[in-house]
Amino acid sequence: MQTIRLFLASLLLCLSLLGAAWLQSRQPRPVSLLPTLTGQVEYCLTCHADLPEISPSHPVETFGCVLCHGGERLALDADLAHSTMRGGRNPSEFAVVEASCGSGDCHSGTAQDQRDHIQRAVTSVQGTYAGAIASIRFTYGAQSDQTARLGVYPVQDDHLTTATGLASLGTFDPSQESSPSVKAFADYCLDCHLSAEPLPGAQYARLTGCAACHTPTANTDLDQPVHHLTTAIPYTQCNTCHNRGNYDLRQMQFHPRTDQPVDRLHDYYQPIAQFVRCEWTLDCVDCHTRFEAMGDGDIHSNKKEIQYIQCRTCHGTLDELPLTRTIAGQDDLALRMAFLNPVIDLKVGDTVLVTEQGEPLWNTRQLADGAFELFGKATGQRFTFRPVMGTACEQKLDQQESRDCHECHSVKR
Amino acid sequence: MKANPTRPSFFHHLHPPTIPAPQARFRYTLGAGGLSVYLVLLLVITGILEMFFYVPSPGEAAESVQTLAFLVPYGWLVRNLHYWAAQLLVVVAIIHLLRVVFTGAYAPPRRFNYLLGLALLLLSLLLDFTGYVLRWDEGVQWALVAGTNLVKSIPILGEGLYRLVVGGTQPGPAALIRFYAWHIFGLTLALVGVGAWHLFRVRRDGGIAVPPPEARRDASRISRFELVRREALAAILATAVLIVVASILPAPIAPPIREGSPLAAEARAPWFFLWVQQLLKWGDPFIFGVLIPVMVIVLLAGIPYWLPNPRPDELGRWFPAGNRAASLLLVILVIILLLLTILALSPLSTFP
Amino acid sequence: MNKKQGPVSKLHRRDFIMVALKGTLGLSSTLGLIGLIRFLGYQSDPAPQTEFELGPASNFPPGSRTPVPEAQAVLYHMPAGFIALSLVCPHLGCVINSVEQGYACPCHGSRFDAQGQVLNGPAREPMRVLRVEQTPGGQLILYTG
């Protein structure tokens, strides 16, 4: 009798051990990755092996996943593994960007090393929204001039390089404002800076932080993860904030554009806008420079202080040819940018256009006959154009605003 | 299984040749003492296996636990077995304490052995606590800080004791290594030593508490071989049940303690110290966190000395009339501790 | 139950149960042992490096003999090309020292000539020859695997 009980108990023991063996066989086989930059093995690929490579400059064998995303590299339980991830699905959110994209070896550092991306983005007007805030507060009497004092987050800059750079911005706090219009501005108009969550709708679909521009998500379902970083930013990504409608400053209301465009010509700019052919054929990034889009490192009060590209930057004037520079060495910024987005096969010795501030327009090249070629950064399309000098252009030298060129060259829709 | 009655094996020899059958029944002892011994054995074995992978250094401790839990074949089983066996040991030890008091089995000559048993309960709690800290993850951080600061709150001896326990001015690498040394060696050695003494005293005091021969209604006895067979049955069953539990319920795990680890809105003490955490919500750390728990222990220890003991002929059954006071005291104590534990689980914002 | 089968049937049943008991206990022990071996067989340390980038071939002129400490090897630029000798002693694995006319192991006294052949000592095999490859860009890569 006792022996039967012992037998049944050992049978139970056997079955429990078999059960444990079965559970062990059901565990996912760990897939390890030893990134060369960290030297610490990670097992994220056990579940995420089907994720595409995020960009050619961030190969997973070198970076791994944890260096950028955080998370528990050894855990195979999803909740634990993801518990310490920075910024959830987006490690480039400004709250955590320094730990994810920054640190001395990567995108944070000094302008001399050309590693100041985070410093520039965080102080940029698109990041601080200082321009909109200062204009509204000035308009409604909350401040006496248009110099910015407040941003959507506090920021400091100890190293000023331009005449209009500011030392710091405080935080814009609607509860401290007395004007009801300024308060209404805070309620309705703060959806379009780099750390703001976008309005609902595929046309506004973007992430925040660096990914707001560098991860193309426009017109997609934001719930679907997009694991992609690029410098070939199409105009649609800029249009998740820009060209989306108009603000009524009296009512403090945003009126989204209501047209249903079916082609690029009608989709690019708002129905009321005026533009020339290259402005809708090229993408925004083909003209607007690194300083304009990401900031020059200084805190500015208004986008007018940072936007400086004009038609004549590429086309010159009747009197002057556009500025150029010949690439002298392998370290030239133009070569590095062209390497990241190889729409153009730049080489040492090529001559590229440069802006008045010395920024290379690395997607351009001077041709033997004095004309220029330009390659679209997002489309790869090639265009050629001649400088204005020596043509039948009727421009006046003191009228170089875009509306002046639009007089003759604007496109009819 | 063919045992030779005239030349019993070492293991059989550890047991008395025969013991009274009624008191050997499960419904009398609940097998709690024996189960405790078995659980300690299981803990030592699974603990040794964990030592092949655990690293007692703050930067690597929690990650080595993750390695065990996710990457080592059957590591999850070893870890979960160790965790559940440990919690079960505390529960079973308390059940054994309850049984001993409710059956009056602490009466002379067993009073000293009762104290040894209490010491074993305390050692088990300390082992549970030190093991808990070794996880070095966000779940244990505040228990470590609060627990070691409680030591500091003791007058006169507090600072010195704290330095002894923590090995520095605040919990860090030195504290982890000391907790590790205590857990795998210091406390285990003490547990095994006091445990062996406890088992020896069981035999020397006459085995399981029974009435004297003239008061026994049932004089039947079982042999040592039958006793060992029953123990083997219990051990095999307990192993199977623990394996099933370990396969279904994982041991807790949380992100490692790192610089900039987020602060918890509410930090919970390990379940067996929740009653102390509740007490601490009410005031002075020394009084509520050290003095009162010590008084509870002293109260328990005093039961055989200060309260009426059962008569010898009352032994061998549950709730004899002779030790009603002791049983009542213990029931009240248990209810209070349970209430404190339940209160501790309520959110911090609501009183008490 | 067949009443005609007396003590004999009881014996068979008892034996059967005993065999079944021993069987299940044996099976449990075997399963436990297999699990234990798999448990202890897990390797947490990452595999050591087996490829080493040595730099441009021009750094190592012909006839040079350059120690590569991180790979525990010595790089030779011979007339025929690049070759490397492993400084891990073929006897029991100590790292061999370079001496005047060759190599000497500090542990048990094995001596080798400049080509890695055994001169004396408990070692019986010569120093291991390692593969060196040159990339199209002129970079040397040493393989110790």
Side-chain angles (χ1 to χ4, degrees):
Chain A
M1 187 53 192
Q2 185 68 297
T3 327
I4 294 182
R5 284 202 202 132
L6 278 168
F7 162 67
L8 287 173
S10 346
L11 187 63
L12 200 64
L13 181 63
C14 241
L15 289 173
S16 70
L17 284 167
L18 284 169
W22 177 73
L23 276 177
Q24 174 63 37
S25 71
R26 283 187 65 212
Q27 303 275 5
R29 203 175 60 82
V31 177
S32 70
L33 172 70
L34 186 59
T36 47
L37 277 183
T38 64
Q40 290 188 313
V41 71
E42 341 180 321
Y43 290 90
C44 318
L45 292 181
T46 307
C47 302
H48 295 288
D50 53 351
L51 259 186
E53 199 69 276
I54 196 167
S55 84
S57 344
H58 301 87
V60 73
E61 300 80 26
T62 308
F63 287 77
C65 315
V66 171
L67 185 60
C68 301
H69 285 280
E72 292 304 310
R73 59 189 179 87
L74 300 171
L76 294 180
D77 166 67
D79 290 330
L80 181 65
H82 302 155
S83 59
T84 50
M85 275 175 74
R86 288 186 285 267
R89 63 179 282 196
N90 179 12
S92 75
E93 285 188 6
F94 277 173
V96 295
V97 69
E98 185 62 54
S100 313
C101 312
S103 93
D105 292 334
C106 299
H107 295 285
S108 178
T110 61
Q112 282 80 2
D113 301 326
Q114 286 170 345
R115 281 198 198 282
D116 58 345
H117 308 80
I118 291 180
Q119 280 75 14
R120 290 194 289 124
V122 161
T123 52
S124 72
V125 180
Q126 295 195 98
T128 63
Y129 221 46
I133 295 172
S135 310
I136 295 294
R137 294 185 82 242
F138 172 71
T139 304
Y140 288 98
Q143 58 184 67
S144 52
D145 59 45
Q146 298 202 53
T147 308
R149 292 155 178 71
L150 304 174
V152 287
Y153 47 74
V155 64
Q156 255 187 305
D157 181 18
D158 302 319
H159 184 60
L160 300 177
T161 51
T162 64
T164 49
L166 303 171
S168 68
L169 292 175
T171 312
F172 174 58
D173 182 0
S175 66
Q176 302 289 320
E177 301 285 339
S178 45
S179 157
S181 295
V182 176
K183 284 198 217 263
F185 164 75
D187 283 336
Y188 298 123
C189 308
L190 287 182
D191 299 300
C192 275
H193 57 85
L194 292 179
S195 18
E197 290 296 323
L199 289 168
Q203 68 271 41
Y204 304 104
R206 62 167 173 81
L207 297 166
T208 67
C210 309
C213 303
H214 286 284
T215 299
T217 50
N219 300 316
T220 64
D221 176 10
L222 257 193
D223 289 331
Q224 300 299 317
V226 178
H227 196 240
H228 191 42
L229 283 175
T230 181
T231 54
I233 302 169
Y235 79 94
T236 47
Q237 196 63 23
C238 313
N239 273 7
T240 55
C241 283
H242 296 272
N243 291 307
R244 288 263 56 86
N246 288 296
Y247 287 100
D248 176 341
L249 285 181
R250 284 220 211 115
Q251 318 275 340
M252 276 304 165
Q253 296 263 313
F254 171 59
H255 296 293
R257 60 190 282 192
T258 50
D259 56 322
Q260 306 282 344
V262 294
D263 58 15
R264 186 183 175 117
L265 171 64
H266 294 90
D267 179 46
Y268 208 128
Y269 295 103
Q270 289 209 76
I272 58 167
Q274 238 195 348
F275 44 82
V276 302
R277 204 173 114 210
C278 66
E279 282 172 321
W280 72 270
T281 317
L282 299 174
D283 289 280
C284 317
V285 295
D286 288 323
C287 298
H288 288 292
T289 67
R290 295 164 83 230
F291 281 179
E292 290 185 304
M294 277 181 65
D296 58 3
D298 274 4
I299 303 171
H300 291 283
S301 299
N302 194 288
K303 73 177 183 190
K304 284 202 289 282
E305 294 166 14
I306 192 76
Q307 240 181 9
Y308 68 99
I309 200 102
Q310 292 178 303
C311 307
R312 71 170 179 189
T313 309
C314 294
H315 294 280
T317 67
L318 282 173
D319 270 357
E320 292 170 344
L321 287 174
L323 297 172
T324 57
R325 179 176 89 211
T326 305
I327 298 177
Q330 285 288 351
D331 264 346
D332 198 303
L333 181 62
L335 280 183
R336 302 220 323 254
M337 302 302 295
F339 171 76
L340 282 179
N341 183 11
V343 291
I344 181 173
D345 56 341
L346 273 188
K347 287 185 277 293
V348 174
D350 283 343
T351 302
V352 299
L353 288 166
V354 288
T355 69
E356 293 82 2
Q357 293 186 22
E359 296 194 80
L361 297 172
W362 57 268
N363 57 331
T364 64
R365 178 165 41 204
Q366 190 167 41
L367 300 170
D369 59 354
F372 292 89
E373 60 178 351
L374 177 144
F375 293 84
K377 290 180 189 172
T379 58
Q381 269 183 290
R382 179 175 180 270
F383 307 90
T384 53
F385 59 96
R386 315 199 61 83
V388 167
M389 193 194 275
T391 65
C393 178
E394 290 171 16
Q395 62 167 233
K396 303 206 174 41
L397 288 171
D398 58 344
Q399 290 177 353
Q400 293 294 324
E401 307 275 309
S402 64
R403 59 190 155 90
D404 299 308
C405 306
H406 286 162
E407 283 279 332
C408 301
H409 290 281
S410 68
V411 167
K412 298 276 185 292
R413 273 196 273 212
Chain B
M1 302 279 162
K2 280 230 182 82
N4 186 343
T6 55
R7 295 179 64 84
S9 70
F10 172 72
F11 196 63
H12 283 116
H13 211 286
L14 288 175
H15 297 75
T18 63
I19 66 172
Q23 281 72 35
R25 303 187 73 151
F26 178 79
R27 71 175 70 144
Y28 176 67
T29 63
L30 302 176
L35 188 56
S36 303
V37 172
Y38 172 70
L39 288 173
V40 169
L41 187 66
L42 189 61
L43 283 167
V44 168
I45 293 175
T46 51
I48 290 175
L49 287 177
E50 285 187 313
M51 280 171 70
F52 278 83
F53 292 101
Y54 177 76
V55 180
S57 146
E60 299 177 65
E63 291 189 350
S64 67
V65 172
Q66 285 185 23
T67 302
L68 252 180
F70 299 113
L71 302 171
V72 179
Y74 301 105
W76 57 272
L77 184 63
V78 170
R79 176 167 186 258
N80 295 347
L81 273 175
H82 194 79
Y83 176 78
W84 287 115
Q87 313 317 309
L88 192 60
L89 174 63
V90 171
V91 170
V92 169
I94 292 173
I95 290 175
H96 181 62
L97 168 64
L98 290 169
R99 194 284 285 174
V100 163
V101 171
F102 290 156
T103 57
Y106 53 81
R110 294 185 173 86
R111 293 192 301 189
F112 181 69
N113 205 19
Y114 173 81
L115 294 180
L116 289 179
L118 260 186
L120 286 173
L121 176 62
L122 287 177
L123 284 170
S124 306
L125 288 171
L126 286 174
L127 277 163
D128 210 346
F129 183 70
T130 49
Y132 175 81
V133 167
L134 289 179
R135 292 209 307 254
W136 211 255
D137 63 30
E138 283 172 8
V140 314
Q141 195 172 7
W142 301 119
L144 173 63
V145 170
T148 49
N149 282 339
L150 264 182
V151 168
K152 224 198 279 196
S153 74
I154 300 173
I156 305 168
L157 300 169
E159 292 283 343
L161 263 176
Y162 182 86
R163 266 204 307 278
L164 216 116
V165 168
V166 168
T169 48
Q170 61 183 20
L176 179 54
I177 266 247
R178 284 185 188 222
F179 270 66
Y180 182 62
W182 281 118
H183 186 81
I184 68 170
F185 190 65
L187 290 168
T188 305
L189 198 63
L191 189 79
V192 170
V194 174
W197 198 356
H198 188 70
L199 292 172
F200 162 69
R201 284 298 303 242
V202 167
R203 285 216 54 192
R204 219 206 43 194
D205 296 339
I208 302 176
V210 290
E214 58 276 10
R216 283 176 215 168
R217 267 179 285 176
D218 180 354
S220 61
R221 304 178 73 84
I222 60 168
S223 73
R224 57 172 33 131
F225 304 102
E226 170 61 23
L227 185 58
V228 167
R229 263 195 294 265
R230 292 189 190 184
E231 290 177 355
L233 182 64
I236 294 174
L237 266 177
T239 313
V241 166
L242 271 171
I243 290 177
V244 170
V245 169
S247 301
I248 300 176
L249 298 171
I253 194 166
I257 296 175
R258 291 193 184 108
E259 288 252 346
S261 274
L263 304 167
E266 265 188 55
R268 275 222 181 118
W271 67 271
F272 45 90
F273 282 157
L274 279 173
W275 62 282
V276 181
Q277 185 176 31
Q278 177 60 32
L279 284 172
L280 284 168
K281 289 185 197 171
W282 289 334
D284 180 76
F286 175 62
I287 296 177
F288 287 92
V290 179
L291 208 57
I292 293 187
V294 165
M295 276 164 39
V296 169
I297 297 168
V298 167
L299 207 60
L300 283 171
I303 286 178
Y305 298 90
W306 302 331
L307 293 177
N309 292 343
R311 295 187 320 271
D313 60 281
E314 282 185 308
L315 292 177
R317 62 176 199 271
W318 282 66
F319 300 118
N323 75 333
R324 286 263 157 83
S327 300
L328 197 60
L329 173 68
L330 193 56
V331 167
I332 293 173
L333 204 58
V334 166
I335 289 177
I336 291 177
L337 290 183
L338 271 174
L339 276 175
L340 285 173
T341 303
I342 292 171
L343 275 176
L345 291 171
S346 68
L348 265 177
S349 52
T350 65
F351 185 78
Chain C
M1 291 254 73
N2 194 338
K3 287 202 184 113
K4 280 200 218 129
Q5 292 177 328
V8 175
S9 72
K10 278 213 191 97
L11 226 71
H12 281 310
R13 195 171 68 192
R14 210 190 306 152
D15 279 342
F16 169 72
I17 293 174
M18 193 55 77
V19 165
L21 175 62
K22 289 191 180 154
T24 44
L25 282 179
L27 184 59
S28 299
S29 309
T30 312
L31 288 172
L33 198 64
I34 294 174
L36 182 68
I37 290 173
R38 285 192 62 193
F39 178 88
L40 292 174
Y42 175 79
Q43 281 165 3
S44 48
D45 284 344
Q49 194 179 357
T50 53
E51 284 181 31
F52 297 86
E53 285 173 24
L54 303 178
S58 45
N59 285 355
F60 308 99
S64 65
R65 179 177 125 159
T66 322
V68 186
E70 65 271 18
Q72 292 175 333
V74 165
L75 180 71
Y76 284 84
H77 191 168
M78 311 287 277
F82 284 97
I83 213 172
L85 283 180
S86 173
L87 288 173
V88 176
C89 185
H91 177 231
L92 276 174
C94 292
V95 175
I96 303 174
N97 293 326
S98 251
V99 295
E100 265 170 40
Q101 299 298 327
Y103 301 95
C105 183
C107 289
H108 307 102
S110 303
R111 294 194 66 112
F112 307 83
D113 64 16
Q115 283 73 43
Q117 300 298 315
V118 180
L119 291 176
N120 69 258
R124 300 230 229 141
E125 314 254 322
M127 288 162 70
R128 214 174 119 219
V129 172
L130 302 173
R131 187 162 56 101
V132 181
E133 282 181 4
Q134 202 168 34
T135 68
Q139 303 286 325
L140 288 180
I141 304 189
L142 171 64
Y143 295 90
T144 58

